[in-house]
Amino acid sequence: MKILNHPSHLAFRVSLSILIFCAIILISQSQSISSPPSTQNQIPTIAWQNTRMPDWNQITFSKMPAISESASFQAPSDTTQKLGYDPSRNWNAGQTPDSFTMLGDFQDSFELQKFSLNDISQIVNSNLNKVTLDSFGIMKKQNLSSLVQAIPDLKTITIAQVKPIYDLLAQDLSSYFNANQTIGNLLQQSPHLGKLNFTQLDLSAYNIDSIPELQITPLGTFDKWQGVYIDEIPGLNNVSFSQFPNPINSVGAEVGIIDIAFGTDEQLRNRTISGSEQEGFAVQCSKDCAHIELSGSDTVSGKAWVSGKYQLVKGGSGILGSVNGGKEPTGRNLFGSAFKVAVWDVSEVDGMMSQALFFRACMRNSFIDLGCTPYFIGPVPFMTYREKDPIFLGLNTVGAENSTSTPTGLKSNGFTFNQAPIVSSSSVSNLLQAVKGNCSKQHSSGANTDALSTALSGTESNYNSVGNYLCDSESNCGRPLGAMQLMSERPDVRRIIASKSGGTEFLGKLDKGEKVTGEEMTQYFSPSEQQTLIASDVNELLDKSEKQIDPTTGKAFTGERLVERAGQMYFAGTGIPVDTTVSDVSEESSVREYGNNVASQYSKSLQTMGCT
């Protein structure tokens, strides 16, 4: 026997057979669409001015996409002597930016040096009591004198009270020393001891709090802080860009439309919006001018944003401006000076383009300023767009019309992307990780609602899923949306969508059965909004399930059986007989099998959440 129609289930979601059919179509489409390399992570986005902007509340150094090319930078020996640290570095494809950028690279942009370890710990909710001194990269660059200069109150504390200092002295001095004297008195009497370096100790043997006031001292107070990598500061790589001392912000507010994507066959582009801080952002291109042509306001219409993969411009400042031949990819500084955004891969075949980020190295201390290298540390994959997509362009500037970029010699003829574009946080694998389960969120029956929500979502589609237009026997018509196929005719779903700019028009497209992209889906009906409704539906399912009798025990459903029954009712409607072996028209799963699968996923979700 098969379930040929189940109206109650259609009112809640859709026929599973049609969902599976839609999923097959979506998969086949995604395999034919082009995209950047598969190493690209996703960039969470938010809707802004009818376009997508990076959601800097969710983006951290450690969660940024990995760099896709390996290279290195070797600083001259005299530079190292002047700075007091070696700013040289190398990076390999697959590394995230926190492992190849240093604090000094952002001293004028994000001002990370204003953070203390305590500030960072409060933001990321970490426990500094479990952090050892070897995890604090700045400590490895300190000697006794510089540490005391950074934390002046150490002068008034006795040597015996600060175990790392006591052990450092005990290890170096063969003769007796008075551990009850203050550290300041010791250095006054024997200033040469100030040169003792903490790298002589096994710093993993000491916690952060073993040095008084270390955790409340601003990073910029310590010597040579500029040469410490981001991932060498505990927790810093998990701080969102919006929470830095000088938070990231967009520069300007111009938005354009990607009209057409062109490859390197294009020549002579005189009206551009790309370039560099040194040459301005209207640098001409003479040949191999892969670009996107823009439409929109009079200030950008018909202009080209030229790809930095195929064109270089002058960059950098000071002595370091000569690094990389003084060149960097042409592009724009959409979000300040921390990094540069370049149009990267451009495909005429697919009508698509990708962006990439490029970082720079800056070197300055209290005594010397060597400037910054060009933005050449990259590419780090960023966002991907199609023709006719709106795109953020930043500050509309003029000038540099007399400058011409330098071709790299690369060609894009016939280039296509290999996979579906990754343009937002719409992948189910990423979003399920982002929805953190709470072990205390329990239904009156004892079932964990977060775990069941995840279990049910995991058996369905992605957060960006949009199904076909359907009607049940009671003439309730709509389209299944998102991870749990919430029907578009639901009043609560429509209220959420309609409350947003452009939402009414989006509902019109849904109601007419018009094509809707996954990006539109998550823009107007975000994963967090879906989760709110899913949680409500899960509670309703559990309310109904616990009132029914389990035929195997003769008592009300509890425990795993309660979860199985909730899954069965979700699959086939609240009136479906318990444990029936009937299936939907696709014959993919019976009601019993579906419930068992939900129970299994529920158990795994509890384990992932750390709930016992």
Side-chain angles (χ1 to χ4, degrees):
M1 177 181 177
K2 303 172 184 176
I3 302 174
L4 298 178
N5 192 10
H6 31 86
S8 61
H9 182 50
L10 276 171
F12 182 66
R13 44 174 299 235
V14 300
S15 170
L16 195 62
S17 63
I18 297 178
L19 286 181
I20 294 170
F21 175 71
C22 293
I24 294 172
I25 294 176
L26 289 172
I27 292 170
S28 64
Q29 287 176 339
S30 69
Q31 291 173 342
S32 65
I33 297 173
S34 64
S35 125
S38 59
T39 54
Q40 179 179 343
N41 287 350
Q42 296 176 348
I43 298 295
T45 62
I46 57 174
W48 182 86
Q49 298 282 10
N50 295 321
T51 187
R52 293 177 288 109
M53 291 281 277
D55 185 355
W56 298 113
N57 292 317
Q58 297 187 54
I59 299 173
T60 67
F61 274 108
S62 64
K63 291 181 180 178
M64 292 189 81
I67 197 167
S68 55
E69 295 179 10
S70 303
S72 63
F73 162 66
Q74 185 62 47
S77 58
D78 60 336
T79 298
T80 300
Q81 292 175 358
K82 291 175 182 177
L83 290 172
Y85 66 91
D86 186 3
S88 302
R89 65 196 82 177
N90 57 70
W91 53 93
N92 297 312
Q95 287 183 259
T96 49
D98 57 328
S99 64
F100 57 77
T101 58
M102 296 180 175
L103 289 174
D105 299 339
F106 307 103
Q107 56 188 305
D108 295 324
S109 53
F110 297 145
E111 300 180 0
L112 302 176
Q113 67 273 17
K114 293 183 178 179
F115 269 143
S116 68
L117 288 178
N118 195 52
D119 294 332
I120 297 169
S121 175
Q122 290 180 354
I123 292 173
V124 301
N125 194 28
S126 62
N127 185 0
L128 284 177
N129 293 332
K130 298 181 180 180
V131 177
T132 55
L133 288 179
D134 67 319
S135 304
F136 184 41
I138 284 180
M139 197 65 198
K140 300 170 185 177
K141 298 185 180 296
Q142 306 306 305
N143 58 30
L144 182 54
S145 179
S146 68
L147 182 66
V148 172
Q149 288 177 7
I151 312 175
D153 286 349
L154 287 177
K155 294 179 182 178
T156 63
I157 300 176
T158 64
I159 297 169
Q161 289 177 293
V162 187
K163 186 165 176 51
I165 293 179
Y166 174 87
D167 290 348
L168 181 65
L169 292 169
Q171 180 176 289
D172 186 78
L173 300 176
S174 56
S175 58
Y176 168 82
F177 64 94
N178 181 10
N180 292 318
Q181 65 178 312
T182 64
I183 296 168
N185 185 58
L186 172 77
L187 291 177
Q188 187 175 15
Q189 294 178 355
S190 306
H192 65 283
L193 295 177
K195 296 181 179 180
L196 293 177
N197 197 295
F198 283 94
T199 55
Q200 298 174 221
L201 291 179
D202 176 11
L203 295 176
S204 65
Y206 310 92
N207 289 336
I208 290 292
D209 60 4
S210 63
I211 298 179
E213 298 186 18
L214 179 70
Q215 61 193 44
I216 63 172
T217 302
L219 303 178
T221 308
F222 296 96
D223 191 31
K224 304 180 182 65
W225 61 270
Q226 298 92 336
V228 177
Y229 288 99
I230 299 298
D231 65 359
E232 293 181 315
I233 304 297
L236 180 56
N237 60 357
N238 292 320
V239 176
S240 68
F241 280 45
S242 63
Q243 294 177 295
F244 290 154
N246 187 30
I248 193 167
N249 280 300
S250 56
V251 178
E254 186 73 46
V255 173
I257 303 292
I258 299 174
D259 196 12
I260 307 175
F262 290 101
T264 50
D265 286 343
E266 298 297 314
Q267 315 296 323
L268 298 175
R269 283 295 172 268
N270 299 325
R271 299 178 66 238
T272 82
I273 64 163
S274 47
S276 67
E277 292 178 330
Q278 286 66 32
E279 293 198 74
F281 296 97
V283 177
Q284 298 181 24
C285 176
S286 60
K287 66 175 184 176
D288 299 341
C289 303
H291 68 281
I292 55 170
E293 186 171 303
L294 301 163
S295 61
S297 69
D298 292 341
T299 57
V300 301
S301 183
K303 291 187 177 181
W305 183 345
V306 179
S307 168
K309 185 172 186 176
Y310 308 102
Q311 298 291 324
L312 301 176
V313 290
K314 181 181 178 181
S317 62
I319 295 175
L320 295 175
S322 61
V323 173
N324 199 47
K327 298 292 186 179
E328 63 187 36
T330 189
R332 295 181 65 77
N333 288 81
L334 300 180
F335 305 101
S337 61
F339 51 76
K340 185 176 187 178
V341 181
V343 167
W344 201 238
D345 285 315
V346 181
S347 173
E348 289 187 31
V349 178
D350 300 319
M352 291 174 55
M353 75 83 164
S354 66
Q355 292 175 324
L357 304 183
F358 286 83
F359 294 85
R360 64 181 182 177
C362 296
M363 300 166 202
R364 186 183 79 235
N365 59 27
S366 302
F367 308 103
I368 186 172
D369 185 356
L370 300 179
C372 297
T373 68
Y375 292 96
F376 77 105
I377 304 176
V380 172
F382 197 44
M383 297 176 68
T384 306
Y385 297 86
R386 300 174 183 272
E387 291 175 349
K388 310 311 176 186
D389 279 350
I391 183 173
F392 176 62
L393 302 175
L395 184 64
N396 190 12
T397 58
V398 296
E401 292 88 347
N402 295 324
S403 297
T404 303
S405 57
T406 303
T408 63
L410 299 174
K411 304 292 182 181
S412 68
N413 304 50
F415 171 78
T416 62
F417 292 91
N418 296 320
Q419 298 176 356
I422 301 175
V423 291
S424 69
S425 57
S426 57
S427 163
V428 68
S429 60
N430 180 58
L431 291 169
L432 287 178
Q433 294 171 10
V435 179
K436 298 183 181 300
N438 187 334
C439 295
S440 64
K441 284 190 178 181
Q442 291 189 340
H443 182 260
S444 59
S445 62
N448 185 281
T449 54
D450 278 358
L452 184 53
S453 295
T454 301
L456 292 173
S457 301
T459 63
E460 292 299 319
S461 302
N462 296 349
Y463 285 86
N464 66 349
S465 170
V466 181
N468 288 340
Y469 193 82
L470 300 168
C471 295
D472 63 15
S473 59
E474 298 177 359
S475 298
N476 295 312
C477 301
R479 297 172 73 176
L481 307 176
M484 279 196 28
Q485 303 292 279
L486 303 170
M487 295 301 291
S488 64
E489 87 275 6
R490 287 176 49 155
D492 48 3
V493 172
R494 299 184 76 83
R495 278 195 300 269
I496 290 172
I497 295 174
S499 67
K500 299 179 179 178
S501 176
T504 302
E505 292 77 7
F506 179 71
L507 284 172
K509 292 177 69 175
L510 290 174
D511 294 342
K512 294 175 183 177
E514 295 179 0
K515 181 179 180 181
V516 171
T517 67
E519 290 72 49
E520 287 179 296
M521 171 62 203
T522 53
Q523 175 182 338
Y524 291 105
F525 193 21
S526 71
S528 61
E529 289 164 340
Q530 292 181 41
Q531 280 292 327
T532 299
L533 296 190
I534 289 171
S536 174
D537 286 347
V538 165
N539 275 291
E540 183 178 350
L541 276 174
L542 290 171
D543 286 343
K544 293 179 179 179
S545 298
E546 71 173 349
K547 294 176 181 177
Q548 295 186 359
I549 300 300
D550 183 351
T552 63
T553 64
K555 299 179 181 179
F557 281 99
T558 59
E560 182 176 317
R561 285 286 290 163
L562 175 70
V563 173
E564 287 181 15
R565 180 55 183 160
Q568 293 175 12
M569 293 169 66
Y570 169 74
F571 177 69
T574 56
I576 193 71
V578 177
D579 295 335
T580 181
T581 57
V582 298
S583 65
D584 74 325
V585 293
S586 69
E587 297 186 304
E588 288 290 327
S589 296
S590 69
V591 170
R592 174 185 288 177
E593 290 170 341
Y594 193 91
N596 290 341
N597 185 39
V598 168
S600 176
Q601 294 297 325
Y602 173 83
S603 178
K604 292 178 181 178
S605 297
L606 287 176
Q607 293 177 10
T608 301
M609 291 162 55
C611 307
T612 56

